Amino acid sequence: MKPAAFRYHAPKSIQEALATLAEVGREDGCVLAGGQSLVPTMAFRLAKPKHLVDINGIAELARLEVRAGKLCIGACVRHAAFEQPVVEGPLGRLLAEVVRHIAHRPIRARGTFCGSIAHADPASEWCLVAAALGAEMVALSTRGERVIPARDFFDSIMTTMLAEYELLAEVRLPLLSDDTRFGFCEFSRRAGDFAIAMALVTCRMNGAKISAPCVAVGGVEAFPRRIEAAEAALTGRAPGAEAFVAAAEAAAEAVEPLEDDNISADYRRALVRTVVQRALERATA
Ligand SMILES: Cc1cc2nc3c(=O)[nH]c(=O)nc-3n(C[C@H](O)[C@H](O)[C@H](O)COP(=O)(O)OP(=O)(O)OC[C@H]3O[C@@H](n4cnc5c(N)ncnc54)[C@H](O)[C@@H]3O)c2cc1C
């Protein structure tokens, strides 16, 4: 099928984009970033925006830089930018590890980090990273700037706190200290498919004991989140099967998995147990 008719806008500056969004946001206008989620839904007429505000011509939005201890990712930075570490240290390596699981190369070449966050698919790897690391989302509009912490940003399936007239201009990720360890594990049916369950774990070591653990799970509930019960099961414990099984069990118990015709809640819960345990093993290997 072909998309329904729409009016195309190609602003050349952020101010111009915000002015256009202020005008058309409430009349079914939306941002076009990489188009890798929006265009297929338009082709199936699941989305019929009346206006598309294409941000790809705005050079300022392609910035990827470190400022004040944070990696600042502009709205036009593509997934593929992260295939090689973009910063020294664990954060660059973590992003390079995770990006391999997003779709296929042609999609990674066009799709954007911020587009994934704005789209908020429950199985988005970048949404999991944002939730795990405590990202900040920078939303701009003609009314000004809002910086929204990840824990407040995701509302439900594919729904965020962004208003229709706001542009997600940048996402900021805190740099990780050199001694941060991380482990990621995703289960999907085929390489490149969306995750059915995935876990991202970070921690540090205080002597032989785990400190400051972060255990986050995605692809399971309406949006990814940290699982405090799993983190509590790890804090101050020696890495190893006993602590990992306890944390994995705590995570599996804490989630309320989505289910559909193909995947039951029980199956997803069992996968949570597996992906959390494997992510922990990878973090501490
Ligand atoms: C076959 C296939 C497999 C895929 N597999 C995966 C996968 O495994 N994991 C995964 O995470 N993704 C996957 N994707 C989705 C892909 O990662 C998209 O690139 C991503 O979800 C959206 O980014 P985009 O830049 O393409 O956004 P677009 O498609 O342009 O936009 C998506 C939505 O977000 C809004 N939006 C985009 N940018 C902004 C912004 N800066 N401010 C405000 N609103 C904005 C748009 O208005 C639209 O509603 C897959 C896609 C395809 C086609």
Side-chain angles (χ1 to χ4, degrees), residues 146-190:
R146 291 200 297 151
V147 179
I148 310 168
R151 65 176 175 279
D152 299 331
F153 184 79
F154 301 109
D155 190 35
S156 66
I157 297 176
M158 292 181 173
T159 310
T160 71
M161 300 313 282
L162 274 183
E164 60 275 22
Y165 51 80
E166 281 181 314
L167 171 71
L168 179 61
E170 183 173 280
V171 174
R172 299 176 185 152
L173 295 175
L175 297 182
L176 299 173
S177 61
D178 285 346
D179 61 345
T180 304
R181 298 161 179 229
F182 68 86
F184 175 70
C185 181
E186 169 169 331
F187 182 83
S188 58
R189 284 236 169 83
R190 298 169 304 187

mmCIF file of all heavy atoms in Angstrom, residues 146-190:
data_model
loop_
_atom_site.group_PDB
_atom_site.id
_atom_site.type_symbol
_atom_site.label_atom_id
_atom_site.label_comp_id
_atom_site.label_asym_id
_atom_site.label_seq_id
_atom_site.Cartn_x
_atom_site.Cartn_y
_atom_site.Cartn_z
ATOM 1 N N ARG A 146 12.635 21.110 28.064
ATOM 2 C CA ARG A 146 12.341 20.253 29.231
ATOM 3 C C ARG A 146 13.363 19.142 29.229
ATOM 4 O O ARG A 146 13.607 18.530 28.179
ATOM 5 C CB ARG A 146 10.970 19.583 29.100
ATOM 6 C CG ARG A 146 9.806 20.505 29.206
ATOM 7 C CD ARG A 146 8.534 19.739 29.547
ATOM 8 N NE ARG A 146 8.135 18.766 28.521
ATOM 9 C CZ ARG A 146 7.452 17.650 28.778
ATOM 10 N NH1 ARG A 146 7.126 17.328 30.028
ATOM 11 N NH2 ARG A 146 7.093 16.831 27.801
ATOM 12 N N VAL A 147 13.971 18.872 30.383
ATOM 13 C CA VAL A 147 14.891 17.735 30.492
ATOM 14 C C VAL A 147 14.169 16.675 31.313
ATOM 15 O O VAL A 147 13.849 16.896 32.479
ATOM 16 C CB VAL A 147 16.226 18.147 31.155
ATOM 17 C CG1 VAL A 147 17.152 16.938 31.279
ATOM 18 C CG2 VAL A 147 16.900 19.255 30.340
ATOM 19 N N ILE A 148 13.872 15.544 30.662
ATOM 20 C CA ILE A 148 13.017 14.536 31.309
ATOM 21 C C ILE A 148 13.868 13.312 31.641
ATOM 22 O O ILE A 148 14.467 12.703 30.743
ATOM 23 C CB ILE A 148 11.863 14.118 30.367
ATOM 24 C CG1 ILE A 148 11.149 15.366 29.821
ATOM 25 C CG2 ILE A 148 10.879 13.200 31.074
ATOM 26 C CD1 ILE A 148 10.195 15.085 28.661
ATOM 27 N N PRO A 149 13.948 12.928 32.923
ATOM 28 C CA PRO A 149 14.707 11.717 33.265
ATOM 29 C C PRO A 149 14.039 10.472 32.685
ATOM 30 O O PRO A 149 12.800 10.429 32.582
ATOM 31 C CB PRO A 149 14.693 11.664 34.794
ATOM 32 C CG PRO A 149 13.893 12.819 35.272
ATOM 33 C CD PRO A 149 13.311 13.551 34.094
ATOM 34 N N ALA A 150 14.848 9.466 32.356
ATOM 35 C CA ALA A 150 14.306 8.252 31.716
ATOM 36 C C ALA A 150 13.190 7.634 32.542
ATOM 37 O O ALA A 150 12.206 7.146 31.997
ATOM 38 C CB ALA A 150 15.428 7.236 31.506
ATOM 39 N N ARG A 151 13.331 7.678 33.871
ATOM 40 C CA ARG A 151 12.312 6.994 34.705
ATOM 41 C C ARG A 151 10.929 7.639 34.560
ATOM 42 O O ARG A 151 9.908 7.015 34.865
ATOM 43 C CB ARG A 151 12.739 6.940 36.177
ATOM 44 C CG ARG A 151 12.833 8.289 36.829
ATOM 45 C CD ARG A 151 13.166 8.235 38.325
ATOM 46 N NE ARG A 151 13.336 9.582 38.811
ATOM 47 C CZ ARG A 151 14.428 10.308 38.684
ATOM 48 N NH1 ARG A 151 15.490 9.776 38.124
ATOM 49 N NH2 ARG A 151 14.489 11.550 39.117
ATOM 50 N N ASP A 152 10.891 8.912 34.107
ATOM 51 C CA ASP A 152 9.592 9.585 33.933
ATOM 52 C C ASP A 152 9.168 9.662 32.470
ATOM 53 O O ASP A 152 8.071 10.142 32.165
ATOM 54 C CB ASP A 152 9.675 11.042 34.445
ATOM 55 C CG ASP A 152 10.020 11.098 35.918
ATOM 56 O OD1 ASP A 152 9.672 10.149 36.637
ATOM 57 O OD2 ASP A 152 10.670 12.079 36.334
ATOM 58 N N PHE A 153 10.052 9.246 31.569
ATOM 59 C CA PHE A 153 9.820 9.521 30.141
ATOM 60 C C PHE A 153 8.853 8.522 29.488
ATOM 61 O O PHE A 153 7.995 8.894 28.704
ATOM 62 C CB PHE A 153 11.160 9.501 29.395
ATOM 63 C CG PHE A 153 11.067 9.857 27.951
ATOM 64 C CD1 PHE A 153 10.971 11.185 27.554
ATOM 65 C CD2 PHE A 153 11.079 8.877 26.960
ATOM 66 C CE1 PHE A 153 10.884 11.533 26.216
ATOM 67 C CE2 PHE A 153 10.995 9.212 25.621
ATOM 68 C CZ PHE A 153 10.896 10.534 25.249
ATOM 69 N N PHE A 154 9.033 7.242 29.827
ATOM 70 C CA PHE A 154 8.222 6.207 29.166
ATOM 71 C C PHE A 154 6.910 6.055 29.927
ATOM 72 O O PHE A 154 6.895 5.926 31.149
ATOM 73 C CB PHE A 154 8.981 4.879 29.115
ATOM 74 C CG PHE A 154 10.285 4.992 28.377
ATOM 75 C CD1 PHE A 154 11.498 4.938 29.049
ATOM 76 C CD2 PHE A 154 10.303 5.176 27.005
ATOM 77 C CE1 PHE A 154 12.703 5.067 28.370
ATOM 78 C CE2 PHE A 154 11.494 5.309 26.319
ATOM 79 C CZ PHE A 154 12.702 5.248 27.000
ATOM 80 N N ASP A 155 5.796 6.052 29.171
ATOM 81 C CA ASP A 155 4.493 6.055 29.825
ATOM 82 C C ASP A 155 3.790 4.714 29.677
ATOM 83 O O ASP A 155 3.275 4.155 30.624
ATOM 84 C CB ASP A 155 3.655 7.198 29.230
ATOM 85 C CG ASP A 155 2.398 7.426 30.021
ATOM 86 O OD1 ASP A 155 2.452 7.260 31.254
ATOM 87 O OD2 ASP A 155 1.363 7.740 29.420
ATOM 88 N N SER A 156 3.742 4.204 28.445
ATOM 89 C CA SER A 156 3.196 2.862 28.221
ATOM 90 C C SER A 156 3.719 2.410 26.854
ATOM 91 O O SER A 156 4.654 3.010 26.335
ATOM 92 C CB SER A 156 1.665 2.872 28.279
ATOM 93 O OG SER A 156 1.158 3.609 27.205
ATOM 94 N N ILE A 157 3.114 1.389 26.275
ATOM 95 C CA ILE A 157 3.637 0.870 25.015
ATOM 96 C C ILE A 157 3.645 1.969 23.952
ATOM 97 O O ILE A 157 2.598 2.566 23.667
ATOM 98 C CB ILE A 157 2.777 -0.323 24.529
ATOM 99 C CG1 ILE A 157 2.856 -1.463 25.530
ATOM 100 C CG2 ILE A 157 3.216 -0.796 23.149
ATOM 101 C CD1 ILE A 157 1.975 -2.644 25.191
ATOM 102 N N MET A 158 4.811 2.274 23.426
ATOM 103 C CA MET A 158 4.976 3.273 22.366
ATOM 104 C C MET A 158 4.377 4.626 22.750
ATOM 105 O O MET A 158 3.892 5.366 21.879
ATOM 106 C CB MET A 158 4.370 2.768 21.052
ATOM 107 C CG MET A 158 5.145 1.610 20.507
ATOM 108 S SD MET A 158 4.485 1.036 18.983
ATOM 109 C CE MET A 158 5.702 -0.154 18.506
ATOM 110 N N THR A 159 4.367 4.931 24.017
ATOM 111 C CA THR A 159 3.847 6.221 24.480
ATOM 112 C C THR A 159 4.842 6.824 25.467
ATOM 113 O O THR A 159 5.310 6.129 26.374
ATOM 114 C CB THR A 159 2.484 6.034 25.186
ATOM 115 O OG1 THR A 159 1.658 5.251 24.340
ATOM 116 C CG2 THR A 159 1.806 7.365 25.426
ATOM 117 N N THR A 160 5.152 8.099 25.236
ATOM 118 C CA THR A 160 6.119 8.780 26.100
ATOM 119 C C THR A 160 5.515 10.087 26.599
ATOM 120 O O THR A 160 4.398 10.458 26.214
ATOM 121 C CB THR A 160 7.407 9.125 25.317
ATOM 122 O OG1 THR A 160 7.105 10.187 24.395
ATOM 123 C CG2 THR A 160 7.965 7.935 24.565
ATOM 124 N N MET A 161 6.285 10.807 27.403
ATOM 125 C CA MET A 161 5.818 12.091 27.926
ATOM 126 C C MET A 161 6.055 13.233 26.927
ATOM 127 O O MET A 161 5.758 14.384 27.234
ATOM 128 C CB MET A 161 6.534 12.415 29.248
ATOM 129 C CG MET A 161 6.298 11.379 30.334
ATOM 130 S SD MET A 161 4.565 10.915 30.495
ATOM 131 C CE MET A 161 3.957 12.317 31.392
ATOM 132 N N LEU A 162 6.591 12.926 25.738
ATOM 133 C CA LEU A 162 6.792 13.996 24.734
ATOM 134 C C LEU A 162 5.442 14.507 24.249
ATOM 135 O O LEU A 162 4.561 13.708 23.908
ATOM 136 C CB LEU A 162 7.502 13.436 23.504
ATOM 137 C CG LEU A 162 9.031 13.359 23.441
ATOM 138 C CD1 LEU A 162 9.429 12.833 22.075
ATOM 139 C CD2 LEU A 162 9.683 14.703 23.732
ATOM 140 N N ALA A 163 5.302 15.825 24.177
ATOM 141 C CA ALA A 163 4.080 16.390 23.593
ATOM 142 C C ALA A 163 4.228 16.380 22.070
ATOM 143 O O ALA A 163 5.346 16.328 21.540
ATOM 144 C CB ALA A 163 3.875 17.810 24.091
ATOM 145 N N GLU A 164 3.083 16.445 21.375
ATOM 146 C CA GLU A 164 3.116 16.331 19.897
ATOM 147 C C GLU A 164 3.852 17.499 19.242
ATOM 148 O O GLU A 164 4.310 17.379 18.107
ATOM 149 C CB GLU A 164 1.694 16.167 19.330
ATOM 150 C CG GLU A 164 0.739 17.276 19.619
ATOM 151 C CD GLU A 164 0.032 17.155 20.969
ATOM 152 O OE1 GLU A 164 0.526 16.465 21.875
ATOM 153 O OE2 GLU A 164 -1.014 17.784 21.112
ATOM 154 N N TYR A 165 4.003 18.618 19.982
ATOM 155 C CA TYR A 165 4.697 19.779 19.414
ATOM 156 C C TYR A 165 6.166 19.828 19.855
ATOM 157 O O TYR A 165 6.863 20.784 19.586
ATOM 158 C CB TYR A 165 3.976 21.079 19.812
ATOM 159 C CG TYR A 165 3.724 21.192 21.300
ATOM 160 C CD1 TYR A 165 4.730 21.600 22.166
ATOM 161 C CD2 TYR A 165 2.484 20.846 21.839
ATOM 162 C CE1 TYR A 165 4.517 21.671 23.531
ATOM 163 C CE2 TYR A 165 2.258 20.917 23.211
ATOM 164 C CZ TYR A 165 3.282 21.328 24.040
ATOM 165 O OH TYR A 165 3.067 21.373 25.392
ATOM 166 N N GLU A 166 6.630 18.767 20.564
ATOM 167 C CA GLU A 166 8.019 18.774 21.051
ATOM 168 C C GLU A 166 8.921 17.942 20.154
ATOM 169 O O GLU A 166 8.510 16.912 19.602
ATOM 170 C CB GLU A 166 8.089 18.216 22.478
ATOM 171 C CG GLU A 166 7.662 19.223 23.520
ATOM 172 C CD GLU A 166 7.760 18.675 24.935
ATOM 173 O OE1 GLU A 166 7.316 17.528 25.167
ATOM 174 O OE2 GLU A 166 8.254 19.388 25.818
ATOM 175 N N LEU A 167 10.173 18.392 20.085
ATOM 176 C CA LEU A 167 11.221 17.652 19.372
ATOM 177 C C LEU A 167 12.143 17.042 20.423
ATOM 178 O O LEU A 167 12.610 17.756 21.321
ATOM 179 C CB LEU A 167 12.017 18.636 18.495
ATOM 180 C CG LEU A 167 13.281 18.084 17.829
ATOM 181 C CD1 LEU A 167 12.915 17.101 16.711
ATOM 182 C CD2 LEU A 167 14.112 19.231 17.250
ATOM 183 N N LEU A 168 12.380 15.750 20.327
ATOM 184 C CA LEU A 168 13.411 15.149 21.188
ATOM 185 C C LEU A 168 14.746 15.502 20.529
ATOM 186 O O LEU A 168 15.158 14.870 19.559
ATOM 187 C CB LEU A 168 13.217 13.631 21.290
ATOM 188 C CG LEU A 168 14.246 12.912 22.153
ATOM 189 C CD1 LEU A 168 14.221 13.387 23.596
ATOM 190 C CD2 LEU A 168 14.034 11.395 22.103
ATOM 191 N N ALA A 169 15.376 16.557 21.019
ATOM 192 C CA ALA A 169 16.549 17.109 20.336
ATOM 193 C C ALA A 169 17.815 16.350 20.677
ATOM 194 O O ALA A 169 18.748 16.278 19.866
ATOM 195 C CB ALA A 169 16.717 18.574 20.718
ATOM 196 N N GLU A 170 17.846 15.777 21.879
ATOM 197 C CA GLU A 170 19.097 15.142 22.339
ATOM 198 C C GLU A 170 18.764 14.166 23.459
ATOM 199 O O GLU A 170 17.842 14.394 24.236
ATOM 200 C CB GLU A 170 19.995 16.264 22.884
ATOM 201 C CG GLU A 170 21.350 15.851 23.351
ATOM 202 C CD GLU A 170 22.197 17.084 23.701
ATOM 203 O OE1 GLU A 170 22.744 17.719 22.771
ATOM 204 O OE2 GLU A 170 22.284 17.426 24.898
ATOM 205 N N VAL A 171 19.550 13.094 23.534
ATOM 206 C CA VAL A 171 19.508 12.204 24.698
ATOM 207 C C VAL A 171 20.897 12.212 25.314
ATOM 208 O O VAL A 171 21.899 12.150 24.595
ATOM 209 C CB VAL A 171 19.087 10.768 24.297
ATOM 210 C CG1 VAL A 171 19.198 9.829 25.484
ATOM 211 C CG2 VAL A 171 17.650 10.762 23.770
ATOM 212 N N ARG A 172 20.947 12.327 26.643
ATOM 213 C CA ARG A 172 22.242 12.368 27.336
ATOM 214 C C ARG A 172 22.414 11.120 28.177
ATOM 215 O O ARG A 172 21.541 10.795 28.990
ATOM 216 C CB ARG A 172 22.320 13.597 28.243
ATOM 217 C CG ARG A 172 22.200 14.898 27.468
ATOM 218 C CD ARG A 172 22.186 16.080 28.424
ATOM 219 N NE ARG A 172 21.955 17.317 27.682
ATOM 220 C CZ ARG A 172 21.373 18.398 28.186
ATOM 221 N NH1 ARG A 172 20.963 18.415 29.450
ATOM 222 N NH2 ARG A 172 21.209 19.467 27.446
ATOM 223 N N LEU A 173 23.553 10.446 27.978
ATOM 224 C CA LEU A 173 23.865 9.253 28.772
ATOM 225 C C LEU A 173 25.064 9.557 29.661
ATOM 226 O O LEU A 173 26.083 10.068 29.161
ATOM 227 C CB LEU A 173 24.247 8.074 27.857
ATOM 228 C CG LEU A 173 23.176 7.529 26.919
ATOM 229 C CD1 LEU A 173 23.787 6.456 26.016
ATOM 230 C CD2 LEU A 173 22.021 6.937 27.727
ATOM 231 N N PRO A 174 24.994 9.233 30.946
ATOM 232 C CA PRO A 174 26.163 9.485 31.799
ATOM 233 C C PRO A 174 27.329 8.576 31.406
ATOM 234 O O PRO A 174 27.113 7.398 31.092
ATOM 235 C CB PRO A 174 25.657 9.132 33.209
ATOM 236 C CG PRO A 174 24.476 8.248 33.003
ATOM 237 C CD PRO A 174 23.882 8.598 31.662
ATOM 238 N N LEU A 175 28.539 9.126 31.395
ATOM 239 C CA LEU A 175 29.708 8.272 31.138
ATOM 240 C C LEU A 175 29.837 7.291 32.307
ATOM 241 O O LEU A 175 29.437 7.604 33.420
ATOM 242 C CB LEU A 175 30.978 9.122 31.037
ATOM 243 C CG LEU A 175 31.015 10.131 29.888
ATOM 244 C CD1 LEU A 175 32.351 10.872 29.892
ATOM 245 C CD2 LEU A 175 30.797 9.450 28.540
ATOM 246 N N LEU A 176 30.402 6.126 32.041
ATOM 247 C CA LEU A 176 30.563 5.124 33.101
ATOM 248 C C LEU A 176 32.006 5.138 33.584
ATOM 249 O O LEU A 176 32.936 5.296 32.774
ATOM 250 C CB LEU A 176 30.201 3.734 32.552
ATOM 251 C CG LEU A 176 28.753 3.596 32.053
ATOM 252 C CD1 LEU A 176 28.538 2.245 31.371
ATOM 253 C CD2 LEU A 176 27.767 3.770 33.203
ATOM 254 N N SER A 177 32.205 4.963 34.882
ATOM 255 C CA SER A 177 33.581 4.949 35.401
ATOM 256 C C SER A 177 34.331 3.740 34.825
ATOM 257 O O SER A 177 33.714 2.724 34.454
ATOM 258 C CB SER A 177 33.565 4.900 36.929
ATOM 259 O OG SER A 177 32.920 3.718 37.338
ATOM 260 N N ASP A 178 35.661 3.872 34.769
ATOM 261 C CA ASP A 178 36.472 2.846 34.098
ATOM 262 C C ASP A 178 36.295 1.456 34.693
ATOM 263 O O ASP A 178 36.488 0.451 34.017
ATOM 264 C CB ASP A 178 37.959 3.231 34.150
ATOM 265 C CG ASP A 178 38.267 4.343 33.163
ATOM 266 O OD1 ASP A 178 37.413 4.597 32.284
ATOM 267 O OD2 ASP A 178 39.334 4.966 33.290
ATOM 268 N N ASP A 179 35.944 1.399 35.985
ATOM 269 C CA ASP A 179 35.818 0.074 36.620
ATOM 270 C C ASP A 179 34.398 -0.501 36.489
ATOM 271 O O ASP A 179 34.099 -1.531 37.084
ATOM 272 C CB ASP A 179 36.233 0.146 38.098
ATOM 273 C CG ASP A 179 35.343 1.108 38.892
ATOM 274 O OD1 ASP A 179 34.613 1.913 38.268
ATOM 275 O OD2 ASP A 179 35.370 1.041 40.130
ATOM 276 N N THR A 180 33.540 0.148 35.705
ATOM 277 C CA THR A 180 32.175 -0.394 35.519
ATOM 278 C C THR A 180 32.228 -1.613 34.604
ATOM 279 O O THR A 180 32.852 -1.583 33.548
ATOM 280 C CB THR A 180 31.237 0.665 34.897
ATOM 281 O OG1 THR A 180 31.251 1.816 35.725
ATOM 282 C CG2 THR A 180 29.822 0.147 34.751
ATOM 283 N N ARG A 181 31.588 -2.668 35.054
ATOM 284 C CA ARG A 181 31.463 -3.866 34.194
ATOM 285 C C ARG A 181 30.037 -3.910 33.658
ATOM 286 O O ARG A 181 29.125 -3.429 34.333
ATOM 287 C CB ARG A 181 31.709 -5.121 35.027
ATOM 288 C CG ARG A 181 33.101 -5.157 35.620
ATOM 289 C CD ARG A 181 33.116 -6.134 36.772
ATOM 290 N NE ARG A 181 34.461 -6.198 37.325
ATOM 291 C CZ ARG A 181 35.093 -7.331 37.568
ATOM 292 N NH1 ARG A 181 34.510 -8.496 37.343
ATOM 293 N NH2 ARG A 181 36.311 -7.319 38.068
ATOM 294 N N PHE A 182 29.890 -4.499 32.497
ATOM 295 C CA PHE A 182 28.526 -4.603 31.948
ATOM 296 C C PHE A 182 28.328 -5.946 31.257
ATOM 297 O O PHE A 182 29.292 -6.582 30.799
ATOM 298 C CB PHE A 182 28.227 -3.460 30.971
ATOM 299 C CG PHE A 182 29.021 -3.527 29.690
ATOM 300 C CD1 PHE A 182 28.580 -4.275 28.609
ATOM 301 C CD2 PHE A 182 30.228 -2.864 29.580
ATOM 302 C CE1 PHE A 182 29.318 -4.354 27.442
ATOM 303 C CE2 PHE A 182 30.983 -2.940 28.420
ATOM 304 C CZ PHE A 182 30.525 -3.677 27.347
ATOM 305 N N GLY A 183 27.084 -6.364 31.187
ATOM 306 C CA GLY A 183 26.727 -7.584 30.448
ATOM 307 C C GLY A 183 25.364 -7.384 29.821
ATOM 308 O O GLY A 183 24.462 -6.802 30.435
ATOM 309 N N PHE A 184 25.225 -7.827 28.579
ATOM 310 C CA PHE A 184 23.956 -7.678 27.858
ATOM 311 C C PHE A 184 23.580 -9.045 27.308
ATOM 312 O O PHE A 184 24.437 -9.782 26.799
ATOM 313 C CB PHE A 184 24.135 -6.673 26.714
ATOM 314 C CG PHE A 184 22.917 -6.524 25.835
ATOM 315 C CD1 PHE A 184 21.764 -5.915 26.312
ATOM 316 C CD2 PHE A 184 22.915 -6.995 24.532
ATOM 317 C CE1 PHE A 184 20.633 -5.777 25.516
ATOM 318 C CE2 PHE A 184 21.794 -6.873 23.721
ATOM 319 C CZ PHE A 184 20.650 -6.256 24.223
ATOM 320 N N CYS A 185 22.308 -9.390 27.408
ATOM 321 C CA CYS A 185 21.848 -10.647 26.790
ATOM 322 C C CYS A 185 20.456 -10.428 26.210
ATOM 323 O O CYS A 185 19.575 -9.871 26.877
ATOM 324 C CB CYS A 185 21.812 -11.762 27.829
ATOM 325 S SG CYS A 185 21.280 -13.330 27.103
ATOM 326 N N GLU A 186 20.296 -10.814 24.955
ATOM 327 C CA GLU A 186 18.997 -10.645 24.277
ATOM 328 C C GLU A 186 18.567 -11.983 23.694
ATOM 329 O O GLU A 186 19.385 -12.711 23.135
ATOM 330 C CB GLU A 186 19.140 -9.604 23.155
ATOM 331 C CG GLU A 186 17.932 -9.561 22.238
ATOM 332 C CD GLU A 186 17.925 -8.364 21.290
ATOM 333 O OE1 GLU A 186 18.475 -7.299 21.636
ATOM 334 O OE2 GLU A 186 17.360 -8.504 20.195
ATOM 335 N N PHE A 187 17.275 -12.272 23.825
ATOM 336 C CA PHE A 187 16.733 -13.433 23.136
ATOM 337 C C PHE A 187 15.735 -12.969 22.090
ATOM 338 O O PHE A 187 14.780 -12.251 22.400
ATOM 339 C CB PHE A 187 16.029 -14.389 24.114
ATOM 340 C CG PHE A 187 15.516 -15.618 23.423
ATOM 341 C CD1 PHE A 187 16.349 -16.696 23.184
ATOM 342 C CD2 PHE A 187 14.211 -15.672 22.947
ATOM 343 C CE1 PHE A 187 15.881 -17.815 22.504
ATOM 344 C CE2 PHE A 187 13.745 -16.782 22.254
ATOM 345 C CZ PHE A 187 14.585 -17.863 22.036
ATOM 346 N N SER A 188 15.987 -13.333 20.833
ATOM 347 C CA SER A 188 15.012 -13.075 19.764
ATOM 348 C C SER A 188 15.001 -14.305 18.872
ATOM 349 O O SER A 188 15.934 -15.116 18.911
ATOM 350 C CB SER A 188 15.363 -11.818 18.974
ATOM 351 O OG SER A 188 16.648 -11.942 18.427
ATOM 352 N N ARG A 189 13.937 -14.438 18.083
ATOM 353 C CA ARG A 189 13.797 -15.679 17.301
ATOM 354 C C ARG A 189 14.889 -15.817 16.253
ATOM 355 O O ARG A 189 15.430 -16.880 16.029
ATOM 356 C CB ARG A 189 12.436 -15.697 16.608
ATOM 357 C CG ARG A 189 11.317 -16.010 17.544
ATOM 358 C CD ARG A 189 10.528 -17.230 17.052
ATOM 359 N NE ARG A 189 9.609 -17.675 18.088
ATOM 360 C CZ ARG A 189 8.413 -17.137 18.292
ATOM 361 N NH1 ARG A 189 7.985 -16.166 17.539
ATOM 362 N NH2 ARG A 189 7.644 -17.590 19.242
ATOM 363 N N ARG A 190 15.184 -14.678 15.550
ATOM 364 C CA ARG A 190 16.226 -14.692 14.516
ATOM 365 C C ARG A 190 17.090 -13.468 14.729
ATOM 366 O O ARG A 190 16.622 -12.463 15.280
ATOM 367 C CB ARG A 190 15.601 -14.592 13.109
ATOM 368 C CG ARG A 190 14.700 -15.730 12.736
ATOM 369 C CD ARG A 190 13.943 -15.404 11.455
ATOM 370 N NE ARG A 190 13.192 -14.153 11.612
ATOM 371 C CZ ARG A 190 12.346 -13.668 10.730
ATOM 372 N NH1 ARG A 190 12.142 -14.296 9.601
ATOM 373 N NH2 ARG A 190 11.702 -12.532 10.941
#
